Amino acid sequence: MIVLVSLVMSEKKIITVDGPAGVGKSTISKMVAAATGFTYLDTGAMYRGVGFFLKQNRIDIDDEKDLAKQLATLDLQLVAAEDDKADVGVIINGKDVSTLIRSPEMSMVASQVSAFSIVRQKLTQLQREYGAQGNIVAEGRDMGTVVFPQAACKFFLDAQPEERARRRVEQLRIQGTKTDFDEILAMIVERDKNDSEREIAPLKKADDAFLIDTTRMSIPEVVKLILEKAAL
Ligand code: DC
């Protein structure tokens, strides 16, 4: 009996939450992590961090050799967020870039650099290292399909683009950034296109992921559904 209990306790569970921009993945994943005691893994923050690093150092992303050389010098760490507004803390070569990576401009840059195979290789490896610790809620675009295909519970969140744009405008407003609805909607549509049409690890529902259309659902309703489905 004691052996059985310790086996159950040592099980390393991974919950994946994928979906398009502005669907509420971060808020929902953070709440699921808080309710279960799991660690929240924000993989979008990693792509934003890499985008920030490449942009700040004016690295020519079309020069593949140089890109590889520069990426080898990149040390990226996720830490607990210092303030409630940030999803997660991101440290790039010792510099805290947590707030700098959250602008709409950095969203587009992250989407662009995420299409590069060398960038994905580096981050996929890092994400699997975090995953190896077990008991994580991994949020992104390719968590259920590529990074953690063996995950115990997979979810794919979706919502109509207009609703996602409305949520993003509200989120940015709370963070103190005033934005234009039409501009944010256009960016979301462009990002959806980039993310789902790229060749490597495109945004896609895993065959065994549970689809949740959140358009008419509240955040607590989605969280409750995920916890029920994951039987946690
Ligand atoms: O989730 P987010 O908005 O912070 O992600 C920013 C960009 O990073 C997104 O447009 C595409 C990319 N991304 C990705 O390609 N794969 C992931 N697992 C997470 C994010």
Side-chain angles (χ1 to χ4, degrees), residues 100-145:
L100 297 171
I101 60 169
R102 293 291 162 192
S103 66
E105 188 204 354
M106 285 314 302
S107 304
M108 294 306 296
V109 173
S111 179
Q112 281 156 14
V113 304
S114 71
F116 289 94
S117 142
I118 183 126
V119 171
R120 297 209 77 85
Q121 273 168 31
K122 183 170 175 111
L123 293 190
T124 296
Q125 190 191 341
L126 201 54
Q127 289 155 12
R128 287 185 178 148
E129 282 167 21
Y130 278 105
Q133 296 163 20
N135 292 354
I136 61 162
V137 182
E139 175 233 314
R141 304 291 188 286
D142 59 341
M143 296 298 101
T145 48

Side-chain angles (χ1 to χ4, degrees), residues 28 167 212-224:
I28 288 161
R167 292 176 188 171
I212 307 178
D213 183 344
T214 72
T215 307
R216 282 177 195 83
M217 289 175 81
S218 69
I219 287 169
E221 281 171 343
V222 180
V223 173
K224 187 165 169 273

Side-chain angles (χ1 to χ4, degrees), residues 17-28 44 48 111 139-142 155-165 167-168 171 187-196 198 202-205 211-215:
V17 181
D18 289 305
V23 77
K25 295 184 303 294
S26 303
T27 310
I28 288 161
R48 287 168 184 269
S111 179
E139 175 233 314
R141 304 291 188 286
D142 59 341
F155 297 91
F156 190 90
L157 307 186
D158 208 352
Q160 284 165 9
E162 291 75 13
E163 174 58 18
R164 290 188 275 129
R167 292 176 188 171
R168 189 41 66 90
Q171 185 189 34
M187 280 175 146
I188 278 185
V189 170
E190 190 182 339
R191 232 163 23 113
D192 282 358
K193 190 170 152 51
N194 283 349
D195 296 346
S196 52
R198 68 172 175 237
L203 164 68
K204 199 172 119 202
K205 178 187 159 308
L211 173 68
I212 307 178
D213 183 344
T214 72
T215 307

